[in-house]
Amino acid sequence: MAMTQTRLNAEFTALKRGDAMDLTDVALRIGIAFVCSLALWFATFLIITLVWGISYSVLTLAHVIFLRSRTGDVQKWELLAAIASSVVPTFYFSAMIIFVAMIADGELVLLASSGCIGVALHCLARNTEFSISAYIDALCVVVAGVGLTLAEVHNVSDTSKSVAVAVGALCALIYFWFSFRQIIQMRIVLEEKTLKEIQSQKMRALGQLTSGVAHDFNNLLTVIRGNVELASIDPNDKQNKEYLQAAEIASDRGAELVRQLLAYGRQSELRTTQLDLSRMLERLCVVLPRILPATIELEYQEAEFDLVFETDETLLESALLNLVINARNAIGSAKGRIRIGAEKNPNGNCLDITVEDSGPGMSEEVLARASDPFFTTRGVGEGSGLGLSMVAGFAKQSGGDLLFENLAPRGFRATLRLPL
């Protein structure tokens, strides 16, 4: 059966994560192998051991460089090349283990056994699932273990000792295989548990969202129904117009609540238009003083550049309005200042629109949940907790972000970052 692109990428990523991501691990493996080859050359005076150390290092580096140089979707031949470049050094290492066990009539058995254990530990460490490389690793360990065992059986003259060596090696290989399976199965169970926890968190968030929406809509429906009933008692009552206007305002608030929810969930349709940033901010700063008390001063830092870019003007104005209202609420009844500014982000092709206030800022706990839906520090009935979540949703849907920062010694800055 042909492998899907997802499976190809997953297999390649498993190899890359296990062999090439941690450069410290790569350097340690190569260093240990090279030091061992020097020790073998010093003990046996066989130049082949030194050649082995150098060639193993070259093969390993070639494998790592190949893995790290490849990004994006992989082709089947690239996966096969990655597996081959992984198998060759491992089998090459296993061959040296067997060679060392045979050349010294038991004197270097400890070194050979350590090498076999090293291969097994490396294979256990780099595999997180039953991928192709996992089965090849297991085969390499079995080959190294069987080769080491046969070499020792050949060197031991006593039959009973030969049988003991063979049985011990077989038990070690069985133990390795069961440990191998257990580690991978534990990883799978942990991943499944994590997925269940994520699903549970989603359900809790959905419950919070539902209860919040139900509460706010019930309040709005109560206003609408009450005013409609009052208007229907006496069709000729002069106050009917006021009742119907109150019902209309409540229905508009319900529509705005839905729009905020859609913006938070990034499901509302962005109606992008060409927008002159400076003119929009100047026009907004004319309107904003109407929602601010006399104790709060509004400052506007004119942009030092002319910029026309595409965005949803209505949602952008609503987002900035929510940021200013949040700043107003933070300052409270005290004297304060709100400052609006805009600048091009020096680290990327982005626009930063900032709203700073002279309030007390946010605690770490509040800061961590500031953009969560229905989270508010205000009293019951004083806020829906959707203002900042709507701003965050608009920013994400536009491809940008909403950033918060406490200022020293006092104050708070919200940055609406939008791509240009």
Side-chain angles (χ1 to χ4, degrees), residues 5-41:
Q5 187 63 58
T6 302
R7 179 74 188 279
L8 283 170
N9 292 341
E11 293 283 356
F12 194 90
T13 302
L15 271 173
K16 189 174 183 178
R17 184 171 56 245
D19 274 358
M21 296 306 293
D22 189 347
L23 293 180
T24 303
D25 174 68
V26 174
L28 191 61
R29 292 202 315 265
I30 293 176
I32 290 174
F34 191 72
V35 168
C36 287
S37 72
L38 283 175
L40 283 170
W41 174 70

Side-chain angles (χ1 to χ4, degrees), residues 102-116:
M102 294 177 65
I103 61 175
D105 193 21
E107 293 177 4
L108 296 176
V109 173
L110 178 61
L111 182 60
S113 301
S114 299
C116 190

Side-chain angles (χ1 to χ4, degrees), residues 138 165 171 188 229 248 373 390:
V165 170
C171 291
I188 293 172
E229 286 180 351
E248 183 181 2
M390 184 278 288

Side-chain angles (χ1 to χ4, degrees), residues 68-355:
R68 290 180 66 87
S69 64
R70 191 66 185 88
T71 57
D73 290 340
V74 300
Q75 303 298 319
K76 190 173 182 179
W77 72 266
E78 290 175 312
L79 175 61
L80 294 176
I83 292 173
S85 63
S86 171
V87 169
V88 170
T90 309
F91 269 110
Y92 194 57
F93 197 96
S94 302
M96 180 51 63
I97 291 172
I98 299 169
F99 177 75
V100 169
M102 294 177 65
I103 61 175
D105 193 21
E107 293 177 4
L108 296 176
V109 173
L110 178 61
L111 182 60
S113 301
S114 299
C116 190
I117 294 172
V119 172
L121 291 176
H122 169 64
C123 294
L124 286 173
R126 78 171 183 171
N127 284 290
T128 57
E129 58 187 19
F130 281 114
S131 59
I132 295 173
S133 59
Y135 288 107
I136 294 175
D137 283 347
L139 179 62
C140 290
V141 175
V142 170
V143 169
V146 170
L148 178 61
T149 302
L150 292 177
E152 282 309 293
V153 169
H154 175 74
N155 286 332
V156 176
S157 56
D158 188 283
T159 305
S160 60
K161 291 182 179 179
S162 298
V163 172
V165 170
V167 171
L170 181 62
C171 291
L173 290 173
I174 293 172
Y175 178 77
F176 163 77
W177 176 249
F178 278 107
S179 299
F180 189 47
R181 286 184 61 88
Q182 185 180 18
I183 289 174
I184 295 178
Q185 287 170 351
M186 286 176 63
R187 178 62 180 262
I188 293 172
V189 169
L190 181 60
E191 288 178 351
E192 290 177 350
K193 184 178 180 181
T194 303
L195 289 174
K196 289 181 180 178
E197 180 62 26
I198 291 173
Q199 185 63 24
S200 176
Q201 290 177 358
K202 286 182 178 179
M203 295 305 294
R204 286 197 295 270
L206 181 61
Q208 182 184 12
L209 183 68
T210 305
S211 62
V213 171
H215 177 267
D216 281 357
F217 263 106
N218 278 335
N219 290 340
L220 293 171
L221 290 173
T222 300
V223 173
I224 295 172
R225 184 180 180 88
N227 282 280
V228 170
E229 286 180 351
L230 288 172
S232 64
I233 292 174
D234 183 1
N236 299 318
D237 193 334
K238 294 181 180 180
Q239 288 188 313
N240 282 354
K241 186 177 180 180
E242 296 179 8
Y243 296 147
L244 293 176
Q245 283 179 341
E248 183 181 2
I249 292 172
S251 64
D252 289 342
R253 288 179 180 172
E256 180 61 22
L257 177 62
V258 171
R259 184 165 172 79
Q260 288 181 341
L261 283 169
L262 289 173
Y264 169 74
R266 308 178 208 172
Q267 297 298 318
S268 60
E269 181 183 353
L270 289 178
R271 304 183 184 96
T272 58
T273 57
Q274 292 284 336
L275 176 66
D276 187 310
L277 176 67
S278 297
R279 288 185 179 180
M280 189 274 290
L281 290 178
E282 287 174 2
R283 186 172 66 252
L284 194 64
C285 287
V286 173
V287 178
L288 288 177
R290 300 176 187 174
I291 65 170
L292 298 177
T295 54
I296 296 180
E297 178 186 359
L298 179 66
E299 295 180 4
Y300 166 56
Q301 178 189 8
E302 288 191 33
E304 298 179 355
F305 53 89
D306 293 326
L307 179 65
V308 176
F309 69 113
E310 285 194 0
T311 188
D312 188 315
E313 183 175 359
T314 303
L315 284 181
L316 177 57
E317 288 183 354
S318 179
L320 293 177
L321 179 63
N322 274 289
L323 291 178
V324 171
I325 290 173
N326 187 74
R328 179 198 67 186
N329 295 337
I331 296 173
S333 58
K335 275 192 173 184
R337 173 185 54 82
I338 296 176
R339 180 172 176 270
I340 299 176
E343 62 180 4
K344 291 181 180 179
N345 188 285
N347 297 324
N349 192 25
C350 297
L351 169 70
D352 287 351
I353 304 177
T354 58
V355 177

